[in-house]
Amino acid sequence: MSPFNKKLKKSAHIQLVLITAILASCHKPTPHHQRRVFMRGDTTAPYNGVRNYYGDDNGYYSSNNGYHHHSHLWYYAFRPYGHYYNGSYTRAGYYSGGLSAHANTGRNGFKGSITRGGFGSHGFSVSS
Amino acid sequence: MQRISIPPRNNWQSAVEKLGFGFHTTDIPYWDESAYYKFMLSEINRIESATQELWDMCLGAVQYVMDNNLYHRFAIPDGAIPYIEKTWQEDHPAIYGRFDFCYKNGHLKLLEFNADTPTSLYEAGIVQWFWLQDFDKSKDQFNSVHEKLIDGWKTLASYLRPGKLHFSCLKQTLEDLTNTEYLRDCAMQAGLDTKLVFIDDLGWDNSTRTFMDLENESIRNIFKLYPWEWLLRDDFGKNIPEDANQAFWIEPAWKMILSNKALLPILWEMYPNHPNLLPAWFDSHGMNRFVKKPILSREGANIEMVDNGQLLQSSDGGYGQEGYVFQELFELPAYDGKYPVIGSWVIAQQAAGMGIREADSLITDNKSRFVPHMIDG
């Protein structure tokens, strides 16, 4: 870090591993050097290996290198899923639209048969 | 502190979506870069030092409440007290919290402390930082949220039980998931082994007396973006003290004392006339101008602002059954008819940055917008 940066109150450099990997997985990049991140879009689904542009200046953002963007980025890191019942739609949750179906097909809620639920009955968002 | 109107980036929706920020707009805009707030460095230094000092004061308040057995003021059930005190005595780790300030006419006053489930972390740490990279990267911003989160998780790692750190939030809310996944991202960068499980999906194994994720992996450490008062009311809550793993829940249960607005009169009692506090009591205490707040509420619900016996402004909601506090009225400053609240982050015991929420009224609610800031001068 330069002496100048030491005086700054902002981050000198920001890198996102998990979230960048979710985004990067959407356009199925050609593999080259990367650290692999294993993830899934639904917590009940199997893990799926995706590539993360860790240390590659084609796919991350930094104060030094400026704003680099992927060619086929999509809108959201997480996509909603849900079901219709009696003509009304109920959102059940979110999964990553960029991951393979393998990593998005879990057992929870409206996708499967197992129901838990000792927690989570209060409220929709904790936003505060 | 100044409000500067600017044209938003032409592609701002696309720019923030590329960061995985999917809740920038609902039925109304939430992320708003048609303006920014400009601060002098001296103003930022003041916010930073106040945040640090208030955090130390809050830790003192936890001990004070315990020493004087003031739990009834917080509507904390008797059955929860031994567990809360255990988590304090065993130093169960905490990662973050957000002080909400009013900054007006040179005065910086604490409005409340969101100590258990604060949100807008991703906007403060990431989205506004990248906005500044585009707008003017030569300028500064009060924002070391990201590296302090990574450093904080590294420090917390030595406190945790052996095994994974699970991350949990409600399944149906994108805002909560984004904040949770951001925290997990930082934990991964700190070298922690992490796993996401929605709070709705947590299980309890009666034979092993442990909480389980959906792959039947037992849980030893769990970050939860879900309030303690809800955890304790839920069916599984009674199992937490019985957990054979004695899992660490982050934020820990002692944060129930700090996330409750009963903290405000306690702080005033402990530190009367502190320059960053407003007079606060458990009754109106003869004040002519006050804000009546439920001790447990969210997003500006069930607030009443009273000025000389007249109701100045109020909000609806379903809170209030646990009781109220009364805080001297100190109206937010108005900038072009907008009312900003400063949310100042404390991360792993350190002041770490801020975000600004802007409302169209004196009550900051769930329609308030996030507006970026910069330091210039």
Side-chain angles (χ1 to χ4, degrees):
Chain A
M1 184 184 290
S2 70
F4 175 72
N5 275 337
K6 282 184 180 171
K7 296 175 188 166
L8 292 179
K9 289 191 178 293
K10 70 176 173 181
S11 301
H13 173 87
I14 284 182
Q15 187 163 270
L16 296 167
V17 173
L18 173 65
I19 291 171
T20 302
I22 294 171
L23 292 165
S25 68
C26 301
H27 71 300
K28 307 295 187 293
T30 305
H32 41 131
H33 152 61
Q34 291 94 26
R35 174 171 132 181
R36 286 179 71 80
V37 174
F38 291 89
M39 58 189 303
R40 53 192 172 170
D42 184 305
T43 188
T44 66
Y47 280 100
N48 181 50
V50 296
R51 293 197 179 274
N52 148 42
Y53 291 84
Y54 200 88
D56 176 348
D57 60 359
N58 284 326
Y60 72 101
Y61 310 86
S62 80
S63 58
N64 295 326
N65 297 331
Y67 186 85
H68 300 277
H69 50 86
H70 305 290
S71 55
H72 301 291
L73 280 169
W74 48 301
Y75 288 146
Y76 299 105
F78 310 103
R79 293 189 185 281
Y81 68 88
H83 77 308
Y84 285 93
Y85 183 72
N86 274 348
S88 66
Y89 179 76
T90 301
R91 188 172 65 233
Y94 289 89
Y95 65 91
S96 172
L99 300 180
S100 73
H102 176 69
N104 271 320
T105 308
R107 294 176 288 130
N108 62 7
F110 298 98
K111 291 179 180 178
S113 58
I114 296 176
T115 302
R116 301 188 178 201
F119 287 130
S121 58
H122 294 272
F124 171 70
S125 170
V126 306
S127 183
S128 60
Chain B
M1 179 179 179
Q2 290 178 267
R3 188 180 192 276
I4 314 289
S5 293
I6 51 168
R9 290 170 289 178
N10 288 332
N11 61 342
W12 73 266
Q13 291 93 341
S14 168
V16 301
E17 284 161 9
K18 284 169 185 166
L19 298 170
F21 181 47
F23 55 99
H24 57 74
T25 308
T26 52
D27 50 338
I28 52 169
Y30 168 60
W31 170 260
D32 184 357
E33 56 178 62
S34 66
Y36 70 90
Y37 281 89
K38 186 170 103 171
F39 287 82
M40 306 283 288
L41 181 59
S42 57
E43 295 173 315
I44 294 296
N45 286 338
R46 192 164 170 197
I47 294 167
E48 185 177 32
S49 61
T51 301
Q52 199 67 55
E53 185 177 355
L54 282 165
W55 171 246
D56 292 341
M57 290 160 60
C58 283
L59 294 180
V62 173
Q63 190 65 57
Y64 182 83
V65 169
M66 291 181 179
D67 290 347
N68 294 282
N69 196 23
L70 300 175
Y71 295 100
H72 63 287
R73 292 293 199 184
F74 294 72
I76 290 174
D78 289 345
I81 295 170
Y83 180 69
I84 291 171
E85 296 195 345
K86 173 185 161 71
T87 64
W88 176 250
Q89 284 151 9
E90 292 181 356
D91 202 13
H92 288 210
I95 186 72
Y96 71 159
R98 194 194 72 228
F99 292 102
D100 283 352
F101 288 125
C102 173
Y103 199 1
K104 187 175 70 173
N105 300 332
H107 298 285
L108 183 70
K109 300 292 187 183
L110 175 65
L111 300 177
E112 63 182 61
F113 185 26
N114 296 283
D116 186 21
T117 59
T119 51
S120 76
L121 184 68
Y122 196 62
E123 301 90 297
I126 297 296
V127 186
Q128 70 169 345
W129 188 89
F130 283 109
W131 166 82
L132 189 63
Q133 302 310 299
D134 281 350
F135 186 75
D136 186 348
K137 66 166 67 173
S138 70
K139 292 294 192 301
D140 203 358
Q141 188 175 75
F142 181 28
N143 185 4
S144 57
V145 166
H146 191 71
E147 58 260 51
K148 287 209 167 68
L149 278 174
I150 295 172
D151 289 347
W153 285 123
K154 284 179 183 169
T155 303
L156 261 60
S158 62
Y159 286 79
L160 300 178
R161 310 274 187 223
K164 284 191 175 64
L165 171 57
H166 284 77
F167 282 77
S168 194
C169 66
L170 283 163
K171 196 184 294 184
Q172 292 200 39
T173 161
L174 180 58
E175 179 178 2
D176 296 4
L177 178 60
T178 305
N179 276 274
T180 301
E181 287 291 72
Y182 175 49
L183 281 153
R184 185 159 78 105
D185 193 309
C186 293
M188 287 170 66
Q189 295 191 53
L192 298 180
D193 189 7
T194 70
K195 190 174 183 182
L196 177 70
V197 58
F198 290 110
I199 197 97
D200 328 39
D201 290 336
L202 277 181
W204 172 256
D205 185 332
N206 227 351
S207 59
T208 61
R209 312 293 294 167
T210 58
F211 288 101
M212 312 288 277
D213 67 17
L214 269 166
E215 292 172 326
N216 292 335
E217 183 170 7
S218 107
I219 288 171
R220 293 180 168 81
N221 309 285
I222 180 165
F223 169 87
K224 50 85 200 160
L225 190 61
Y226 191 72
W228 266 105
E229 64 267 22
W230 295 0
L231 280 177
L232 294 180
R233 275 186 222 149
D234 284 343
D235 292 344
F236 281 5
K238 64 181 183 305
N239 297 320
I240 293 174
E242 310 300 323
D243 176 12
N245 284 337
Q246 293 292 290
F248 281 134
W249 291 74
I250 302 170
E251 297 295 300
W254 57 263
K255 278 290 193 79
M256 284 185 77
I257 294 171
L258 298 182
S259 62
N260 187 308
K261 291 185 187 66
L263 173 71
L264 299 171
I266 296 295
L267 284 174
W268 186 249
E269 184 177 313
M270 293 177 69
Y271 310 98
N273 302 311
H274 187 282
N276 298 126
L277 296 178
L278 290 165
W281 313 90
F282 289 102
D283 55 39
S284 60
H285 219 75
M287 290 187 288
N288 284 327
R289 291 163 49 78
F290 59 83
V291 184
K292 182 181 176 187
K293 301 177 175 182
I295 62 171
L296 296 175
S297 70
R298 295 176 184 280
E299 294 285 11
N302 300 97
I303 300 288
E304 288 183 13
M305 290 184 172
V306 175
D307 184 5
N308 226 359
Q310 301 296 312
L311 188 62
L312 195 64
Q313 206 166 112
S314 64
S315 58
D316 296 329
Y319 298 96
Q321 60 270 32
E322 293 88 0
Y324 293 86
V325 296
F326 298 75
Q327 186 183 47
E328 185 177 274
L329 178 59
F330 191 78
E331 293 110 318
L332 294 171
Y335 294 85
D336 304 327
K338 321 292 185 194
Y339 300 88
V341 168
I342 292 170
S344 184
W345 289 94
V346 57
I347 293 175
Q349 319 265 356
Q350 297 177 76
M354 72 179 194
I356 296 175
R357 296 281 305 279
E358 190 182 79
D360 293 328
S361 74
L362 288 169
I363 297 175
T364 305
D365 60 15
N366 60 3
K367 294 182 177 135
S368 305
R369 300 166 297 277
F370 192 101
V371 181
H373 80 274
M374 75 159 65
I375 306 170
D376 188 10

